Amino acid sequence: MSMNNSPNVFLDPNANRFQVNIINESHDNNETSQEDVCSDPPHYEETSFTDEAHNRLKISYRPGKRELFDNFLQNGEKTEASLHPYDTHSNMYYLQTFGHNTMDPVPKIDYYRNTGSVSGNKLNRPSLLEIHEQLAKNIAVNSSSIERVANGEGSAGDDTAVSKEEENKTGFVKFGWVKGVLVRCMLNIWGVMLFIRLSWIVGQAGIGLGVIIILLATMVTSITGLSTSAIATNGFVRGGGAYYLISRSLGPEFGGSIGLIFAFANAVAVAMYVVGFAETVVELLKESDTIMVDESNDIRIIGTITVVCLLGISVAGMEWEAKAQVILLVVLLVAIANFFIGTVIPTNNEKKARGFFNYQASIFAENFGPDFRDGEGFFSVFAIFFPAATGILAGANISGDLEDPQGAIPKGTMLAILITTVAYIGVAVCAASCVVRDATGNVNDTVVSGMSCNGSSACTLGYDFSRCRSQPCDYGLMNNFQVMSMVSGFGPLITAGIFSATLSSALASLVSAPKVFQALCKDNVYKALHFFAKGYGKNNEPIRGYVLTFVIAMAFILIAELNTIAPIISNFFLASYALINFSCFHASYAKSPGWRPAFRYYNMWVSLFGALLCCGVMFVINWWAALITYAIELFLYIYVTYKKPEVNWGSSAQALYYINALDSALALTTVEDHVKNFRPQCIVLTGAPMIRPALLDITHTFTKNNGLCICCEVYMGPRKLCVKEMNSGMAKKQAWLTKNKRKAFYAAVAADSFRDGVKSLLQASGLGRMKPNTLVIGFKKDWRNATAAQVENYVGVIHDTFDFELGMIIVRISQGFDISQVLQVQVSLLSSQYTEELEKLEQERLALEATIKDNEFEEGKHGFYRFFGKVSKFNISKQETKKESTINTIQSMHVGEFNQKLLEASTQFKKKQGKGTIDVWWLFDDGGLTILIPYILTIRKKWKSCKLRIFTGGKVNRIEEEKLVMASLLSKFRIKFADINIVCDINMKPSKESWKFFEEMIEPYRLHESCKDITTAEKLKRETPWKITDAELEAFKEKSYRQVRLNELLQEHSRAANLIVLSLPVARKGVVSDHLYMAWLEILSKNLPPVLMVRGNHKNVLTFYS
């Protein structure tokens, strides 16, 4: 950026750190610039990281251009860009950054946003290509580029549309950490348990173990809170709470499974809390003898009315729901304060008879130890208390409605855990310090003089409750669930507290379930549930989710046995906690550079301990419910894994896959290669994989699940265009391989020639021990029509392969591999069909409108409906026809317009090969690759019906001995074969017809120097050094005879084979000309079934040692 060197800049306290000056780059730039500098100080567009300068804009104007700029501003265009807002043919403008003419922008948060960000617009920084070209060529920035860079307009998907829609809604309500997290978590954690079960728990376990139970539950929730805080501060958090945190950390498999059961658990929890409220109301009705029908039906009636009211509050909007939560919290706090006040108010005889004596050291001492009764124990009491500690995710579940989720979730959640824990311990200790375990409630049960107390604190305080040992009593910590009402200063306030606790928890769950479910549906993990993703109103309220939650809650209120379902719900919550803890551990363990939580007070091993603790608590609470939870989660995990949703959230699982792969690759480098572990690892020169599918298919057959396969493409031509095309196609072609279930990688290089590109691939492909050892290439069918340079490149690739000591496989099929012409025909046919369909539909629409106008006043109501019935039938039939034509394969479309045989040949290796043979002509020992490749083919599903027939050379008088030697060798290699043939006449001369065909084939490439004078011959050699000389042809006549003769033998013995695997002849580099070598390959493999010409690198790939 341009820095003003004037002293005033440094003295000015308001000067910004970064300043941008828009300057002109036209030819008369110097003169004008000096005039501007001398006449008027320059105006700067201020670019700063401070809020004050965010919307300020100062731009220097060219003389006479101010009017133009004013018009620009009036048109409502954005001007906070880093580039000049206009561009003409005569005036070229650049951004001046730090004194340099460049498009480079300063660091800005908007460049790092997601496309669908709701917190701000995503800006697209100039690409590296744009900056590189600008620096290299001084090209003017066109107006479209200015608009794109300035306004951050880029390609946007559905998420962008959704985010824009959400941004346009005014009045978007956001909550701070107190109202959004702290209040919700406290209300959800403080439940009915606080008022009606905590006294019983401390009576059973005693003060000592009771506090341990509370602290143990708090340990689980605190560790989970720390893990939640770490994950929530590792990036922007959207709506979805626990589901969002888990899915973005562990991926859609874990997130999708836990998200569904977590949303369901919240929906059923609504029913549980509402039933708790209804039971309390029914108890009050029973006391006043005003039961409506009977207890069960009254609970259903009151529960239904309550859920409807809560639904109304929720649907009214988050703002109303938040106000209701604040009111309920006030009531709850008053009720708790009422209890503590009651403990210091002097008791009376009636309360003493019920076991309340204010604070007494003797009662504290008596109640400190445990007194488990009725088969209860530490873990059973813990299981009853633990649900009272849940609810810590109430704030995180509405993360999308928080102003600052990263700050609010850690602060609010951890403070809520601290406050509620202190309250639980305080209530437990105070209750156990004031109330004895057993009391009769009879004011006359006082101590008689001379009576022995036997250490009973009630006895020392003047009351005899000894009969409670032999018969049940109704009062005391162990017997009366309404101890808090009795102790409190004003009993009805405790009832109000119970109402507040149940309704607030129900309301929090009623809001959490749809929010989590909506986030799950928006991600489209379960496609059938996408209907529930839609939001309404300024807060994007999930109205459809509210209705679904209401239906589920009503169902469980009316028909479910909540005592059975309650343990499962608790386990669902615990499963969520376990996965949140595991997410934190997993993200830390994966050591991804992207794991940088702002919250530092966590430890990966503590998180792992928390996850294991949650799993243990699940079994402590209810073992069969834990098994059901795991079974449901496993089923959903397998389902989501099978469906493979197309999402990429950068989960820690991806990071761990990379770490594991890297570690394995590094570990592999320390292992020496051994012949027993040899496997073909192939570079396949397919070009774009979809262009030569048959070449990929045959290679994939012997590399799938066995070795490395890299589909390679060489881009030739102007480097700039090649690199651009290569970079844009990499992901698409790898995606094609994945979509078509090809276990292969795609790699591409840009080079000046085909040979140079392949040379680069041969040297640089692979990683460590996972390096290619074999090159697979298709036979160059058009070599006779190709230029000398193209043939030289092709043969040069074979020479380079041998130089780098790689194996070589040349594959030939009769129709060739390249189906690009077929694909072009297919695309053009589909596009023309699409255009025709559009034209037909437009004609039908116009005809329909005309018909409607003609019949509008003539036909009656029934006639009108009949007409539309006919039209709909017509349209349906058209659509069905269109669908059928789309489904039909390309074989049935315009057969004459493309090569049908070529298309069939391209799929021949995808089909299951019937009973037949793979003929292996193992003529030369290359280390065993020639026999290993066909063996691997025979153990594949598509080729397992084929038998191996082995052909090798030998002498006429040693046929049987040669057979035994080959059979012995193959049996030692443990390779099964159907037959062995010893070919004795390989070195015989070929027939005259065959040799004549070979001579005619090479005739255009011969020099015929012996027929010309020396000067002419030398001149021809210099001009066409690639041609076959008479001397060369004579020197390699025997080898040429052999290739022609081998083709005759192949025609005789292997014409009906499914596949021929043949030893590839090697041409001496610099001795055999390229065209002669291509002629050998041509004549050797001509008019045959698919042929694999194989040559190993002459290092053993087979062994018979164990």
Side-chain angles (χ1 to χ4, degrees):
M1 290 190 170
S2 151
M3 299 299 292
N4 191 337
N5 294 325
S6 169
N8 296 331
V9 172
F10 298 100
L11 296 174
D12 184 5
N14 296 321
N16 293 302
R17 287 179 58 204
F18 300 101
Q19 295 177 319
V20 176
N21 184 20
I22 309 298
I23 67 169
N24 182 288
E25 290 263 312
S26 60
H27 296 291
D28 58 347
N29 148 322
N30 295 334
E31 209 171 272
T32 309
S33 299
Q34 288 180 10
E35 285 176 13
D36 289 343
V37 170
C38 296
S39 61
D40 200 14
H43 297 281
Y44 293 99
E45 176 189 358
E46 313 229 357
T47 306
S48 172
F49 295 122
T50 59
D51 293 334
E52 298 85 49
H54 185 67
N55 293 318
R56 295 169 62 188
L57 179 70
K58 294 181 182 178
I59 299 182
S60 59
Y61 308 101
R62 292 270 304 156
K65 297 297 180 184
R66 181 159 193 129
E67 266 182 29
L68 226 140
F69 182 70
D70 289 339
N71 292 336
F72 181 85
L73 285 180
Q74 289 168 9
N75 291 333
E77 300 286 345
K78 293 183 180 180
T79 58
E80 65 268 24
S82 307
L83 297 172
H84 200 282
Y86 69 92
D87 181 27
T88 66
H89 294 292
S90 59
N91 295 288
M92 301 178 184
Y93 290 88
Y94 288 89
L95 174 67
Q96 189 173 11
T97 307
F98 304 127
H100 299 284
N101 299 336
T102 176
M103 292 175 65
D104 264 348
V106 295
K108 193 174 184 180
I109 192 173
D110 293 328
Y111 294 127
Y112 296 90
R113 297 190 190 280
N114 282 337
T115 306
S117 175
V118 295
S119 58
N121 290 331
K122 172 180 171 57
L123 297 185
N124 286 348
R125 70 176 65 80
S127 69
L128 185 60
L129 184 64
E130 289 173 323
I131 293 172
H132 191 232
E133 291 301 320
Q134 289 293 332
L135 287 172
K137 291 190 177 180
N138 197 22
I139 298 173
V141 184
N142 59 37
S143 57
S144 62
S145 176
I146 288 176
E147 290 296 322
R148 186 175 65 79
V149 176
N151 300 333
E153 292 174 1
S155 59
D158 297 334
D159 288 343
T160 308
V162 172
S163 67
K164 294 291 180 189
E165 185 182 333
E166 290 177 357
E167 287 171 10
N168 292 334
K169 295 172 184 173
T170 56
F172 200 56
V173 180
K174 294 286 187 178
F175 302 110
W177 72 274
V178 175
K179 207 173 181 181
V181 182
L182 180 63
V183 170
R184 289 174 188 281
C185 288
M186 287 171 62
L187 283 169
N188 225 19
I189 294 171
W190 279 331
V192 186
M193 204 69 67
L194 174 66
F195 297 101
I196 61 176
R197 284 290 185 276
L198 192 56
S199 58
W200 176 85
I201 288 167
V202 78
Q204 289 274 0
I207 295 173
L209 288 182
V211 171
I212 290 175
I213 285 172
I214 295 170
L215 292 177
L216 183 58
T218 302
M219 183 192 295
V220 175
T221 56
S222 296
I223 294 173
T224 306
L226 293 173
S227 300
T228 303
S229 301
I231 298 171
T233 57
N234 190 51
F236 182 75
V237 179
R238 292 188 183 175
Y243 159 71
Y244 186 88
L245 298 178
I246 295 170
S247 62
R248 267 51 177 185
S249 293
L250 293 179
E253 295 84 7
F254 279 109
S257 58
I258 204 65
L260 200 59
I261 65 175
F262 186 71
F264 178 76
N266 273 288
V268 178
V270 175
M272 290 175 57
Y273 294 130
V274 167
V275 167
F277 168 76
E279 285 178 350
T280 307
V281 174
V282 169
E283 287 294 325
L284 293 175
L285 293 177
K286 194 160 58 171
E287 287 178 10
S288 58
D289 198 22
T290 53
I291 293 290
M292 292 177 282
V293 183
D294 56 56
E295 287 188 29
S296 298
N297 285 314
D298 280 11
I299 290 173
R300 292 190 179 101
I301 293 167
I302 295 168
T304 302
I305 296 169
T306 306
V307 170
V308 171
C309 294
L310 294 176
L311 180 66
I313 295 171
S314 302
V315 172
M318 289 295 294
E319 201 169 2
W320 285 97
E321 188 265 349
K323 289 175 182 177
Q325 292 279 33
V326 171
I327 294 169
L328 292 172
L329 179 63
V330 170
V331 174
L332 196 57
L333 290 173
V334 169
I336 294 171
N338 176 48
F339 166 76
F340 287 113
I341 291 170
T343 58
V344 296
I345 295 175
T347 184
N348 53 37
N349 291 333
E350 184 181 352
K351 288 187 177 182
K352 285 182 179 179
R354 295 183 178 184
F356 173 52
F357 295 95
N358 294 114
Y359 292 104
Q360 301 291 335
S362 59
I363 296 178
F364 179 87
E366 184 180 67
N367 290 340
F368 189 83
D371 184 16
F372 295 113
R373 301 179 190 174
D374 303 324
E376 299 291 350
F378 177 83
F379 288 110
S380 63
V381 172
F382 173 79
I384 292 168
F385 171 77
F386 186 80
T390 59
I392 61 169
L393 297 179
N397 286 340
I398 62 159
S399 52
D401 296 299
L402 300 175
E403 282 180 4
D404 178 22
Q406 288 182 294
I409 292 174
K411 201 185 303 181
T413 303
M414 298 312 296
L415 188 57
I417 292 172
L418 176 63
I419 293 172
T420 53
T421 301
V422 170
Y424 275 131
I425 293 175
V427 170
V429 172
C430 289
S433 302
C434 299
V435 184
V436 296
R437 281 193 168 101
D438 298 292
T440 59
N442 189 345
V443 294
N444 296 319
D445 286 344
T446 55
V447 174
V448 180
S449 58
M451 179 179 175
S452 175
C453 290
N454 294 326
S456 170
S457 58
C459 180
T460 58
L461 294 170
Y463 281 82
D464 178 19
F465 299 141
S466 57
R467 65 187 176 94
C468 292
R469 296 173 187 169
S470 56
Q471 62 185 57
C473 293
D474 296 328
Y475 297 97
L477 294 175
M478 302 290 277
N479 310 304
N480 183 16
F481 291 151
Q482 303 297 327
V483 166
M484 284 191 72
S485 296
M486 177 189 70
V487 173
S488 64
F490 184 61
L493 276 178
I494 299 298
T495 304
I498 294 173
F499 287 173
S500 174
T502 52
L503 292 178
S504 63
S505 298
L507 193 56
S509 298
L510 186 58
V511 170
S512 297
K515 292 282 185 182
V516 173
F517 193 59
Q518 183 187 34
L520 176 67
C521 296
K522 272 186 177 179
D523 288 336
N524 213 16
V525 176
Y526 302 99
K527 295 186 184 298
L529 301 177
H530 193 66
F531 171 79
F532 294 97
K534 185 173 176 58
Y536 297 87
K538 60 187 180 182
N539 263 40
N540 197 31
E541 296 291 345
I543 303 297
R544 295 173 179 177
Y546 282 130
V547 173
L548 180 64
T549 304
F550 171 76
V551 171
I552 293 171
M554 284 298 302
F556 280 95
I557 287 171
L558 296 176
I559 62 174
E561 179 58 49
L562 291 182
N563 289 337
T564 304
I565 204 71
I568 299 177
I569 302 307
S570 295
N571 274 316
F572 280 0
F573 285 123
L574 275 167
S576 305
Y577 297 169
L579 278 181
I580 288 175
N581 284 310
F582 185 72
S583 298
C584 183
F585 163 76
H586 200 270
S588 303
Y589 184 74
K591 298 175 184 175
S592 170
W595 174 250
R596 303 184 301 275
F599 185 83
R600 297 294 180 185
Y601 305 103
Y602 75 96
N603 180 278
M604 59 183 285
W605 300 111
V606 172
S607 295
L608 179 62
F609 172 72
L612 297 174
L613 195 60
C614 289
C615 294
V617 170
M618 288 173 69
F619 282 96
V620 166
I621 289 177
N622 193 304
W623 66 269
W624 58 263
L627 291 177
I628 290 173
T629 304
Y630 284 130
I632 294 172
E633 188 176 332
L634 181 63
F635 170 77
L636 293 173
Y637 178 89
I638 293 170
Y639 174 81
V640 176
T641 304
Y642 176 75
K643 288 295 183 181
K644 291 182 181 176
E646 295 178 0
V647 293
N648 182 12
W649 294 325
S651 66
S652 60
Q654 293 173 341
L656 197 61
Y657 291 156
Y658 177 83
I659 291 293
N660 291 339
L662 187 61
D663 289 343
S664 299
L666 289 170
L668 198 60
T669 58
T670 63
V671 179
E672 290 294 328
D673 286 333
H674 194 282
V675 64
K676 284 196 296 184
N677 293 322
F678 176 87
R679 59 196 68 229
Q681 304 196 105
C682 300
I683 286 181
V684 199
L685 298 182
T686 57
M690 62 285 291
I691 298 299
R692 294 177 178 82
L695 184 59
L696 173 59
D697 289 338
I698 187 63
T699 310
H700 189 255
T701 305
F702 56 79
T703 60
K704 181 183 178 183
N705 299 328
N706 188 53
L708 182 69
C709 180
I710 308 176
C711 297
C712 295
E713 184 171 8
V714 178
Y715 286 87
M716 294 170 291
R719 187 172 184 82
K720 177 183 172 183
L721 295 176
C722 286
V723 170
K724 186 176 180 181
E725 185 183 354
M726 180 178 72
N727 291 340
S728 63
M730 294 284 281
K732 183 175 69 174
K733 288 164 185 174
Q734 183 63 57
W736 185 91
L737 290 169
T738 305
K739 183 180 178 182
N740 288 274
K741 298 180 180 178
R742 296 291 179 266
K743 295 187 177 180
F745 299 97
Y746 172 78
V749 292
D752 295 330
S753 69
F754 176 69
R755 183 178 182 180
D756 288 342
V758 176
K759 198 182 293 185
S760 300
L761 290 166
L762 291 173
Q763 295 177 87
S765 295
L767 184 69
R769 296 287 182 194
M770 293 185 295
K771 287 185 72 70
N773 53 32
T774 307
L775 176 69
V776 181
I777 189 171
F779 178 71
K780 189 170 180 60
K781 191 180 177 184
D782 64 343
W783 67 275
R784 281 188 275 184
N785 299 322
T787 63
Q790 289 173 329
V791 175
E792 182 185 1
N793 274 331
Y794 183 84
V795 176
V797 165
I798 300 174
H799 289 312
D800 293 336
T801 303
F802 293 143
D803 286 343
F804 293 127
E805 295 189 346
L806 269 72
M808 185 77 202
I809 300 176
I810 300 177
V811 188
R812 182 174 186 178
I813 58 177
S814 58
Q815 300 298 325
F817 292 106
D818 192 341
I819 63 166
S820 54
Q821 186 179 356
V822 177
L823 296 177
Q824 288 172 2
V825 171
Q826 182 180 6
V827 170
S828 61
L829 284 173
L830 291 174
S831 61
S832 63
Q833 278 191 341
Y834 180 68
T835 306
E836 289 173 9
E837 288 291 337
L838 287 178
E839 290 175 357
K840 286 179 183 178
L841 289 171
E842 181 63 17
Q843 290 172 4
E844 290 167 12
R845 186 184 67 79
L846 294 172
L848 179 61
E849 289 179 355
T851 310
I852 290 173
K853 288 177 182 176
D854 293 341
N855 292 278
E856 195 170 22
F857 299 105
E858 296 175 9
E859 294 193 12
K861 184 177 179 181
H862 298 290
F864 191 74
Y865 284 149
R866 277 198 303 273
F867 169 73
F868 265 102
K870 291 177 182 177
V871 171
S872 63
K873 286 178 183 177
F874 172 75
N875 284 338
I876 289 168
S877 65
K878 280 282 181 187
Q879 289 171 3
E880 287 176 353
T881 306
K882 180 182 175 184
K883 186 177 180 182
E884 287 172 4
S885 67
T886 306
I887 292 172
N888 284 338
T889 57
I890 191 154
Q891 287 91 328
S892 63
M893 295 192 313
H894 306 278
V895 176
E897 295 187 23
F898 58 87
N899 193 329
Q900 179 68 19
K901 289 183 179 179
L902 178 59
L903 191 64
E904 289 176 355
S906 70
T907 60
Q908 63 180 308
F909 298 124
K910 290 181 181 177
K911 301 171 186 174
K912 187 172 182 179
Q913 306 294 318
K915 288 186 177 180
T917 63
I918 297 176
D919 287 2
V920 184
W921 289 71
W922 195 9
L923 305 177
F924 309 106
D925 195 328
D926 58 351
L929 187 65
T930 307
I931 196 72
L932 179 63
I933 295 295
Y935 165 73
I936 294 174
L937 288 175
T938 57
I939 62 176
R940 300 301 189 192
K941 188 176 180 181
K942 291 174 183 173
W943 292 85
K944 67 179 182 181
S945 299
C946 295
K947 306 294 183 185
L948 289 185
R949 290 199 307 170
I950 312 298
F951 293 83
T952 189
K955 297 179 180 179
V956 178
N957 57 353
R958 286 180 52 84
I959 290 178
E960 293 303 320
E961 291 87 340
E962 298 281 1
K963 272 190 179 182
L964 287 174
V965 169
M966 180 57 68
S968 173
L969 179 62
L970 292 174
S971 63
K972 285 183 178 180
F973 287 147
R974 301 169 304 283
I975 293 176
K976 294 180 180 180
F977 56 91
D979 192 16
I980 294 176
N981 293 277
I982 306 299
V983 184
C984 304
D985 50 354
I986 293 176
N987 291 323
M988 287 178 61
K989 283 187 178 181
S991 66
K992 291 181 180 180
E993 294 79 8
S994 299
W995 182 249
K996 184 180 179 182
F997 177 83
F998 178 76
E999 286 185 321
E1000 289 174 352
M1001 181 172 62
I1002 63 173
E1003 180 62 31
Y1005 315 110
R1006 291 187 62 181
L1007 191 65
H1008 289 295
E1009 77 277 11
S1010 58
C1011 302
K1012 299 177 178 64
D1013 59 79
I1014 296 174
T1015 306
T1016 306
E1018 291 297 327
K1019 182 181 178 183
L1020 286 173
K1021 282 183 181 179
R1022 287 194 301 271
E1023 290 175 352
T1024 55
W1026 50 270
K1027 284 199 171 183
I1028 305 169
T1029 64
D1030 292 341
E1032 178 191 358
L1033 191 60
E1034 185 61 31
F1036 293 104
K1037 194 168 188 178
E1038 290 297 325
K1039 200 163 186 177
S1040 299
Y1041 279 158
R1042 187 190 305 151
Q1043 313 311 324
V1044 179
R1045 177 58 183 159
L1046 275 172
N1047 182 260
E1048 291 178 345
L1049 293 170
L1050 286 163
Q1051 297 283 353
E1052 179 184 345
H1053 295 286
S1054 299
R1055 183 78 179 172
N1058 294 52
L1059 181 71
I1060 297 172
V1061 181
L1062 173 67
S1063 291
L1064 173 71
V1066 178
R1068 290 195 177 275
K1069 189 168 59 172
V1071 178
V1072 179
S1073 63
D1074 299 331
H1075 282 77
L1076 179 59
Y1077 185 59
M1078 290 303 299
W1080 287 352
L1081 299 183
E1082 171 74 34
I1083 196 66
L1084 182 62
S1085 57
K1086 189 173 181 60
N1087 297 328
L1088 291 171
V1091 178
L1092 268 63
M1093 291 178 275
V1094 181
R1095 174 69 69 157
N1097 63 356
H1098 287 242
K1099 293 180 181 177
N1100 287 348
V1101 300
L1102 293 171
T1103 181
F1104 48 81
Y1105 295 108
S1106 58

